[in-house]
Amino acid sequence: MSHSWYLVYTKPKQENVALLNLQQQGFRAYMPLYKNFKNILSTGYLGFEAMFPRYVFFQPGNAGQSITTARSTRGVVSLVRFGFEPAVVKGDIVQAIRLFEEERNHAGLAEISPLQPGKSVRFKHAALQGLQGLVKSVSSKRVAVLLELLGQDQLVHVDHSQLELV
């Protein structure tokens, strides 16, 4: 059994459809996910997205399985090729991607948030809107920001969603 992987290029937002259908056909399929900080509707949270949007790695499930059937799989546009040859990704590269994915998945909001100690930020909240400060610390729920008010440094704790990078 080859340790090399192949790639399919999927239809937009159809990575999961292609992944599931490749697996149902007996292929070993892998779509790396990237844990990311999302700030939707002013609520900071961790979410997952495809590390390589529109691409799914796959291998034949057995020695006799042809990779050509993957191109007509639901959710797939085509096999990734270089000229007439299918693109081949070495197994050690896929393993390195898996290790990175695993490390990233264990990281919390404080490690993934773009709001890191020492970064300059601007307040978006109405009471402090437009004021700038310096991030002192980050936790999963709050960010401590050093803010100069009336000539004195004040430490203010706010939600991630109330700040933006300068």
Side-chain angles (χ1 to χ4, degrees):
M1 181 72 55
S2 170
H3 293 292
S4 295
W5 291 77
Y6 300 95
L7 285 167
V8 291
Y9 185 65
T10 70
K11 295 177 181 176
K13 305 287 185 197
Q14 297 259 329
E15 297 94 344
N16 285 319
V17 171
L19 179 73
L20 179 64
N21 283 287
L22 285 167
Q23 290 169 338
Q24 288 176 346
Q25 292 177 52
F27 290 104
R28 279 188 216 76
Y30 170 56
M31 180 183 66
L33 297 176
Y34 188 75
K35 189 176 189 180
N36 201 3
F37 178 79
K38 306 245 183 214
N39 195 5
I40 297 175
L41 300 174
S42 297
T43 59
Y45 72 96
L46 294 175
F48 292 90
E49 57 190 39
M51 193 179 293
F52 305 105
R54 296 189 71 182
Y55 292 93
V56 174
F57 295 89
F58 75 99
Q59 287 180 315
N62 59 59
Q65 187 175 21
S66 172
I67 66 166
T68 58
T69 58
R71 65 179 175 209
S72 59
T73 299
R74 209 168 137 232
V76 171
V77 172
S78 64
L79 289 173
V80 176
R81 297 180 178 275
F82 295 117
F84 295 108
E85 295 296 317
V88 176
V89 180
K90 293 182 180 180
D92 57 342
I93 293 174
V94 173
Q95 184 59 30
I97 292 168
R98 284 184 191 270
L99 290 172
F100 174 78
E101 179 184 23
E102 187 177 320
E103 287 174 14
R104 183 81 177 187
N105 287 347
H106 289 359
L109 182 63
E111 294 89 17
I112 293 177
S113 172
L115 305 171
Q116 295 295 321
K119 296 275 186 171
S120 293
V121 292
R122 182 178 304 117
F123 286 84
K124 296 190 299 186
H125 189 267
L128 300 171
Q129 189 170 14
L131 293 178
Q132 292 186 12
L134 197 63
V135 175
K136 183 165 191 226
S137 65
V138 181
S139 73
S140 61
K141 302 243 184 226
R142 312 282 276 166
V143 179
V145 179
L146 197 57
L147 182 65
E148 187 178 323
L149 289 173
L150 303 172
Q152 292 190 6
D153 289 338
Q154 299 292 322
L155 194 58
V156 179
H157 297 270
V158 296
D159 290 335
H160 290 255
S161 62
Q162 295 178 359
L163 299 169
E164 62 187 359
L165 290 174
V166 176

